Structure formats: C-alpha cells, structure tokens
Amino acid sequence: MSKKKSPRLATQLVRGGINRSPHKETAEAIFMTSGFVYDSAEEADARFAGTSPGYLYGRYGNPTIRILEEKLMLLEGAEECLCVGSGMAAVTASVMGVVKAGDRVIAPRALFSSCLWLLDTYLPRFGVEVELVDGEDLDQWREAAKKPVRLALIETPSNPVLGAVDLKAVAEILKPTGAIIVVDNVFATPLNQKPLELGAHVVVYSTTKHMDGQGRTLGGAILSSKAIIDEHYRDFLRHTGPAISPFNAWVILKGLETIHLRVPAQCASAAKIADAIAAHPKIARVLYPGRADHPHRAVHAKQMKGGGPLIAFEVKGGQAGAFRFLNGLELIDISNNLGDAKSLATHPATTTHRRLTEEARARIGVSPGAVRLSVGLEDVDDLIEDVIQALDKV
Ligand SMILES: *Cc1c(COP(=O)(O)O)cnc(C)c1O
C-alpha cells in the first residue's frame, strides 16, 4: 500500500496489514505453527533481546494474527492492538492487566453478563472494590469519582436493552482520578462509534460478533495506545496465555474485508424493523438507539452514528408473551449469540441475564417481556414479515 496518502476505510479493510510470504499468495496465509526457529544461537539471543525483529513463540505473536491486529488498528484508529482467543479473554485482560488489591473499579450495572460476573464476583476475591452505577446517571458517576478510581469498564449501547453511557461526560468526570477507561464497543461496532476519540483509553471487542460476522469463530481484541499496551497488557497476555488460534484470526481478518458492507446493511435493516414494529399492538415498547423515542436517544445521537445493528423490544404479556413470540418465529433463530449474518433473537431474562435477581434485571430495564434481536443480512422485508407474524401470534 502507498505510504504517501492515507487510503480510505474500505481500502484499508481489504488491504491493510497484508504481509505476504515469499510465495506471494493473494489471500493472507495461515501460519499454523506454535513456534519459530532461528538460524543460529546468536539469532535466538538477539530475538529474545529484542534487537532483531521476528517471532518467538505462538503465545507471544504470529504473522497471521498480526495481520488481523494491523487491520483492527486501522479500523479503530488505534496505535496498537493485541488479539486474544475470545471477547471475554479481552475484557478479562483489559481489567486484570491493570488492577491490584486495594484498587477500585467503577462500571455501569448494565453490562454483558460475563463482564458483570468478572466485576461483581471475581474481582472482589482479590481485594478489588467494585462499584456499580446506573450508567446513564452522571450524578452517580460524579459521586463514585470522589474516591480513587483505577479503572472503569463501560459498555454503550449496553446489553441487552441498548442504554447509553455518555462517554465524553464520564471521561471528563473521571479525568482527575487518572482512571483507565475501557469501553466494550461490541454493540456499536467500530464503524458507528469511536470511543478513543471520546475519551476512552482502551477499546475491547468480541471479534466473535460483527467482525467475524458469520458466526464461525471466537476471538477478542484489545486496542489502545502503544504506551498502555506495553505497560499493562503485553506481558500479561504473553504470560497468562489467552492466545487466539491463527486459523480463527484468519477467519476474522477475512471477515473484516466486508464489515463496511455488512454492518451498515444490518443497521439499515434494524432501523426499518424497529419502525415497522413500534406501533404493533403486541409491542409494549421498542428500544432502538436510532429512534427518537429511545430514552437515551440524545446521548446515542451525539456519540454513535445511526442506531446500530441490534434492537430491543418488550412484548406484551411478560415472559409468556415473549416466549410465544420467540416460538412463533419461522425464519429468525432463537440464540443468545449476536452479530451473525443470520438474524438471532434472545430472551435475556431466562438466558444471558438469568443469573441476576428479578430486581437487578428490572433496574437495568430487562423486563420479563424483553427480547433482543440481532439483525442479520437476510432481506429486510422477510425479517419484518417474520417478526410481525410472530407478534400476531402473541
Ligand atoms: C459477546 C460479548 C462479549 C464476550 O465475547 P466472547 O467472544 O463471547 O467471549 C463481551 N461483551 C459484549 C458486549 C459481547 O457482546
């Protein structure tokens, strides 16, 4: 790629990071190897000293994985990226690589359920204090920031009912604490929201979702400045070992070649579906970040492009109503996954969020009738027809 002018996004996604082997393959090569060899003992010595470039061991890095990391850096506008074996490996490392006993972590209570488990169940075992706030309430962030804060883990739009956290405002509030702000940007996708430009220090992804985009692999990524990656994450990942398979990295990097075509199409379909069902008599309310009636619309509108590829809505009749809707779907699948080419519908209260008490679910807006829909790449009119015929059965 020409180094002179900066290529546009689509070009970067297709061509960025390519590092061809001497065979000059067109498609990126999969380096399925756990280790690397050296021409001499002196060369091994120099590699380990860091004075000679090159790979050392599969847990530390791999040429195929590096292509994925370079593409992600271009997409996110980040200085450095490290990829790992799942989204949760990325989230876990993004927190554990920073905190120590005695530190305090703040997070909104509306989080992907495993992220919440990491904070409310795992971290306290190591003497890390965790305070959960209602993410949309800046006064709660202000109150929480009166004591020292080492790290904040934020998700916006949040799982599952797509609430917003005002990233710029929270970054301003946390600035005096020196806290590292980590944003899980999975629901927005890198095409619609740029947390690093809004005051976040670290962005994490489950590449399992829209980056793979076809529901094939697990993967995760941590993106940040080179200084933060070097200080907090590089050694943590090398020595704890949540490495991604080069094969999975290859699937995901091929997925990235089309993300700029897929995600906007999914977002456009999501917006159409949200509008098409909003007035349906079996719908209590639609929660789509792109609609004017979303309670956090103002915040979503200022930091996110469009409404994103996920919709939440509440079916009348509580859990029984939601179950009748899900069981009535003929095209869309019931699944707790998201970000696939196939549209997938979830009942959070009995699956992803079943660990929470009913009260805790109510506090983050997960009612018994709530459904989350991950919009895929099918024809939008088929999706609308399927959702409406399933609602009619409720
Ligand atoms: C899926 C997801 C994760 C976890 O990713 P895995 O790849 O399943 O480990 C974390 N955060 C969000 C918002 C997710 O959607």
Side-chain angles (χ1 to χ4, degrees), residues 86-89 91 112 115 155 159 184 186-187 206-209 218-219 338:
S86 72
M88 280 320 301
V91 173
F112 185 79
C115 301
E155 199 180 303
N159 188 42
D184 178 338
V186 168
F187 275 38
S206 164
T207 63
T208 312
K209 312 298 167 53
L218 291 178
L338 62 102

Side-chain angles (χ1 to χ4, degrees), residues 20-52:
R20 291 194 167 111
S21 82
H23 300 298
K24 299 288 173 194
E25 61 283 349
T26 315
E28 294 78 348
I30 307 176
F31 287 91
M32 226 42 217
T33 178
S34 48
F36 300 87
V37 298
Y38 313 100
D39 288 337
S40 65
E42 287 76 12
E43 175 61 12
D45 178 16
R47 291 256 189 107
F48 271 80
T51 53
S52 167

Side-chain angles (χ1 to χ4, degrees), residues 155-159 162-165 184-185 187-188 193 289 300 303-304 307:
E155 199 180 303
T156 182
S158 61
N159 188 42
L162 314 176
V165 176
D184 178 338
N185 205 37
F187 275 38
Q193 186 168 270
H300 280 315
Q303 66 191 17
M304 182 165 72

Side-chain angles (χ1 to χ4, degrees), residues 1-7 17-18 70:
M1 214 186 319
S2 160
K3 291 271 185 282
K4 282 183 205 111
K5 57 182 192 245
S6 179
I18 289 181
E70 300 241 352

